[in-house]
Amino acid sequence: MSQKISLTRYLVEQQRIDGHIPAQLRLLLEVVARACKSISQAVNKGALGSVMGSAESENVQGEIQKKLDIIANEVLIEANEWGGHLAGMASEEMDSIYVVPNRYPQGEYLLLFDPLDGSSNIDINVSIGTIFSVLKMPDDDRGVDEADFLQAGNKQVAAGYCIYGPQTTLVLTVGDGVAMFTLDREQGSFVLIEENVQIPDDTQEFAINMSNMRHWDEPVKRYVDELLAGKDGPRGKNFNMRWIAAMVADVHRILCRGGIFMYPWDKREPEKAGKLRLMYEANPMSWLIEQAGGMATNGHQRILDIQPTKLHERVSVILGSKNEVERVTAYHAEKTAKL
Ligand code: AFP
């Protein structure tokens, strides 16, 4: 039987091979993985662990928080604040940044996360996950503030997610491809199952919330209408649809077998660029997709090149198999050219 490669061994060997993972970053990734193990255990308890249902509170997004949203957020904060690898953290569940308390050593990294993506799936036992992004503190010795977090996605030094589904699987990149690790509950460690994940350039599977169709901009409607026309339409082939309502699960499917995921801007709240958050959902997922050979745009530009202006800013997301994302982006360009 081939030898199991643990996350720790993978990170040590990657550091030896290409130096992408300095010791402090390796520590950070291992601490995040351990936190995800704890979150997985809480999620798996379900109704047996009194972790279900609403927390009777709202987050900065104005969304009702689930008990597990808050539990997952606290697990990540408590696991990471004392290690000396971080200067600060930012979370979908916290209005402002969390500066590492003075009683702990300050590190050179910033950790951003959506502690539990797909919360609406918790009470119906459908996959959810934790999404994380790692930035470096800008090179100056002043204390950390929100402006330090406002870096484009192309500045990330690590990104990943942990999906809590039939398996608990950690997926990460440090800029040298995408690796997947499944939690071996008997050993209590994440074991390498796939490295150098590659997304096919073409697909026959798309993911979008079809109930919003009447609100979409014309290029998205044109693209989806062509998919729905199937082999008798301009695409000359049939397409299948999936929508898990947890970005982490839809992205995981695309990394495993290709596809296109869209949560585009729509007319319901025209002042917002989209529903999904740039810093701790779109940026980490876009880097993973690009590292696996896919593409990620907001319809107009590469998501990773967007310069953020607010910590919780939203963005339109079109990501996945390169040829499909290029097509949707081209339809947006054609519309812009006509204006
Ligand atoms: P929740 O965390 O509130 O369930 O939202 C999940 C999410 O941000 C993203 O993970 C999904 O792709 C998307 O929202 C689902 O949105 P709809 O419920 O509007 O389909």
Side-chain angles (χ1 to χ4, degrees), residues 116-120 209 243 245-247 261 263 275-277 281:
L116 210 61
D117 172 66
S119 310
S120 52
N209 183 335
W243 187 249
M247 185 187 197
F261 168 92
Y263 211 116
K275 170 177 184 183
L276 303 181
R277 273 63 57 153
E281 289 177 327

Side-chain angles (χ1 to χ4, degrees), residues 200-211:
D201 290 346
D202 295 300
T203 182
Q204 287 183 251
E205 199 159 62
F206 72 99
I208 192 167
N209 183 335
M210 293 294 287
S211 70

Side-chain angles (χ1 to χ4, degrees), residues 59 63-64 66 69 92-93 114 116-122 128 131 208-212 243-250 261-263 266 268 275-277 281 314:
N59 64 16
E63 295 158 341
I64 295 292
K66 302 282 190 180
D69 282 323
E92 177 184 309
E93 302 305 331
D114 178 357
L116 210 61
D117 172 66
S119 310
S120 52
N121 285 346
I122 294 172
I128 49 183
I131 308 172
I208 192 167
N209 183 335
M210 293 294 287
S211 70
N212 300 324
W243 187 249
I244 306 176
M247 185 187 197
V248 69
D250 283 313
F261 168 92
M262 294 166 279
Y263 211 116
D266 69 41
R268 287 176 294 172
K275 170 177 184 183
L276 303 181
R277 273 63 57 153
E281 289 177 327
R314 296 169 186 263

